[in-house]
Amino acid sequence: MKSGKLTQQQKQILSVVLIPVFMSLLSVSIVNVVLPAIGRDLNAPSSALQWVLSGYTLSFGVLLVAAGRAGDVYGRGRLFVIGAILFGAASLLAGLAPNEVVLNIARMSMGFGSGLLNPQTVGLIQQYFSGAERGRAFGYFGSTVGISVAIGPVLGGVFMAGFGDSWGWRASFLINVPFALIAAAAALRLFPDSAWKGTPETGRAADRRQSRADMDPVGTVLFALAILLVMLPFMERELGAWVFSLVVVGVALIVVWAFWEKRYKARGREPMVDLSLFKIPSFANGSLLIGLYFMGTTSVWVVSAVFLQGGHDFSPLHAGLIGLPGALGTIWTSAWAGRRVLAYGRSLVLWGMVIAIASIAGSIGVVLLADAGGLSIWWLMLPLSVLGAAQGCIVSPNQTLTLLEVPVRDSGAAGGVLQTGQRVGTAVGIAAITGILFTVEAASGWNTAFITAFTVIGIVMSAAAAVAVWDVVVSGRNGGNQTPGRQTVPSS
């Protein structure tokens, strides 16, 4: 199939796997709006509220690669359903939580559910889509991301306005329950038989004598612990400067993990992640690019919301609305880019990066003009809309190109690596850039703080653009990206 037209089976699979993408990202964007109400209703201290955010992110991030590997071995459909059920049950508990302790336990469980099912989404697209169809599927993936980002803050504001403090924030968690049930039921009904089995090349030792699946438990624990130690300090920085020593320990553990994986493979076993994947330029470059990009771009919406509410007395709903056109732009351009990514390659991502960086500069210009009294701060909506449209040419196309040459048998683990980079980049970026925002605001005011934070964002995004330039050069030397036509797409 070269036309990009999807079969009925592909449409069914795609309609199911996009549900958890919507759920997991909605659970991030909606909470930012309702967090103050949680504090008031439960009389929760700020430390507990921080964990409502960071607990979900941490548990989500540490499980991604292991869950992707488990889906490769035991069947992606199984892990998808287990994750959806866990996510739904935890959302129900969060919505009915009597205190902050129960709420945070529920939020971490929601993160585990998201961590289980999200790599299966990428793995299933890799397994059942190829060529132009895969680009189109990841385009819809990006559109769904845009929808969840757009709806989250607005929906949270609507819930707060309609149900008040007590039930407004609870509704933001309970809304996940029906989506989780629909996802699990639809998967059981619509996934083909092959989705419930491990891929043929995975789960056996090289000598074919091993009868049980090889999950590399030591590698799994080492990697999860390393990611936890790298992410935790950026989410708990109020504990003091000493906590950042954990980052050093985490990086050292990643090095130990890499040595373990190489040795494990040399012994004829199947490692958690086959490190030879990083010898594929498109995978190595794309993973680095998107980690850097998320380190910058995810802070844009947090900084904007805080700036507008703290510096211009915007309500949470109005602060959410200013980013709505940008999210809608992401929806359209993701679908557009998904149909053209294989034709344009990494150049499409690079041009998206250039436009995104220009929109960051434009945002700084709007704030400068607003400070001089010549422009309404509502004009900030314009460059943020351009940024949203540019993002549709970056995230989903990069995902398609990064996984283009990855074998189907490794697609779950590879997708987990890619998403882990995004989660780590998000955690580090938001913590560092919001820290800069508040530090500068205390000394020089909101406008200077916004300009400083956005300048840092622009620098980080420029580093991501440099990786995109390098990948274009490498791709040109290699004669362009290969097509994945050699990969087998299983039938039902």
Side-chain angles (χ1 to χ4, degrees), residues 6-91:
L6 304 183
T7 66
Q8 183 63 29
Q9 183 187 78
Q10 287 175 326
K11 290 177 181 177
Q12 291 176 342
I13 292 171
L14 193 60
S15 66
V16 176
V17 301
L18 292 183
I19 296 174
V21 175
F22 176 83
M23 291 190 305
S24 61
L25 294 177
L26 183 71
S27 293
V28 175
S29 60
I30 199 171
V31 168
N32 291 330
V33 175
V34 303
L35 205 59
I38 294 175
R40 291 190 296 267
D41 189 47
L42 297 181
N43 295 315
S46 58
S47 58
L49 293 180
Q50 173 62 30
W51 271 97
V52 174
L53 292 172
S54 61
Y56 178 80
T57 304
L58 279 172
S59 56
F60 188 173
V62 299
L63 207 60
L64 284 167
V65 178
R69 167 67 177 160
D72 294 340
V73 172
Y74 296 112
R76 297 174 182 121
R78 298 175 191 272
L79 273 293
F80 183 95
V81 171
I82 292 171
I85 292 173
L86 176 58
F87 182 87
S91 296

Side-chain angles (χ1 to χ4, degrees), residues 11-332:
K11 290 177 181 177
Q12 291 176 342
I13 292 171
L14 193 60
S15 66
V16 176
V17 301
L18 292 183
I19 296 174
V21 175
F22 176 83
M23 291 190 305
S24 61
L25 294 177
L26 183 71
S27 293
V28 175
S29 60
I30 199 171
V31 168
N32 291 330
V33 175
V34 303
L35 205 59
I38 294 175
R40 291 190 296 267
D41 189 47
L42 297 181
N43 295 315
S46 58
S47 58
L49 293 180
Q50 173 62 30
W51 271 97
V52 174
L53 292 172
S54 61
Y56 178 80
T57 304
L58 279 172
S59 56
F60 188 173
V62 299
L63 207 60
L64 284 167
V65 178
R69 167 67 177 160
D72 294 340
V73 172
Y74 296 112
R76 297 174 182 121
R78 298 175 191 272
L79 273 293
F80 183 95
V81 171
I82 292 171
I85 292 173
L86 176 58
F87 182 87
S91 296
L92 179 62
L93 179 61
L96 302 177
N99 53 57
E100 70 272 16
V101 175
V102 175
L103 176 59
N104 279 313
I105 291 172
R107 281 290 285 174
M108 292 190 72
S109 299
M110 287 173 64
F112 287 132
S114 288
L116 282 173
L117 60 83
N118 266 273
Q120 316 317 323
T121 297
V122 175
L124 286 162
I125 290 176
Q126 286 285 103
Q127 184 174 353
Y128 292 100
F129 297 77
S130 64
E133 294 86 3
R134 185 179 294 170
R136 190 172 181 183
F138 278 125
Y140 287 127
F141 181 100
S143 296
T144 304
V145 171
I147 293 170
S148 63
V149 171
I151 289 179
V154 178
L155 190 60
V158 170
F159 284 156
M160 294 305 303
F163 300 115
D165 273 7
S166 182
W167 281 102
W169 70 264
R170 294 179 186 277
S172 69
F173 297 122
L174 295 174
I175 190 68
N176 293 323
V177 178
F179 283 109
L181 292 175
I182 290 170
L188 290 168
R189 181 166 180 256
L190 298 177
F191 280 175
D193 292 343
S194 52
W196 307 97
K197 305 170 185 176
T199 50
E201 298 87 353
T202 303
R204 296 192 295 268
D207 60 7
R208 305 296 178 182
R209 291 179 297 176
Q210 187 172 309
S211 60
R212 293 185 299 174
D214 188 351
M215 278 297 295
D216 184 13
V218 174
T220 299
V221 172
L222 281 173
F223 189 81
L225 183 58
I227 295 301
L228 175 64
L229 293 177
V230 169
M231 293 178 68
L232 184 61
F234 294 96
M235 298 177 175
E236 292 296 314
R237 59 188 185 277
E238 68 275 3
L239 295 177
W242 70 268
V243 76
F244 286 94
S245 63
L246 296 178
V247 176
V248 179
V249 179
V251 172
L253 274 180
I254 291 175
V255 174
V256 172
W257 168 79
F259 277 111
W260 169 265
E261 295 295 275
K262 291 177 68 175
R263 182 183 175 189
Y264 202 70
K265 183 178 180 180
R267 290 162 50 193
R269 306 295 294 274
E270 294 193 4
M272 174 189 180
V273 175
D274 189 342
L275 296 183
S276 64
L277 288 174
F278 292 96
K279 295 180 180 179
I280 303 172
S282 59
F283 179 76
N285 294 335
S287 297
L288 177 60
L289 183 156
I290 205 64
L292 288 170
Y293 179 74
F294 269 70
M295 190 181 295
T297 191
T298 49
S299 300
V300 166
W301 311 106
V302 177
V303 169
S304 298
V306 172
F307 167 71
L308 291 171
Q309 293 180 69
H312 292 272
D313 297 322
F314 274 41
S315 69
L317 181 58
H318 286 158
L321 285 172
I322 207 163
L324 182 60
L328 295 175
T330 302
I331 295 170
W332 185 84

Side-chain angles (χ1 to χ4, degrees), residues 1-5 130-133 339 342 483-487:
M1 293 179 290
K2 302 296 182 183
S3 65
K5 186 176 181 180
S130 64
E133 294 86 3
R339 295 191 294 269
L342 294 184
T483 60
R486 67 183 182 277
Q487 298 176 359

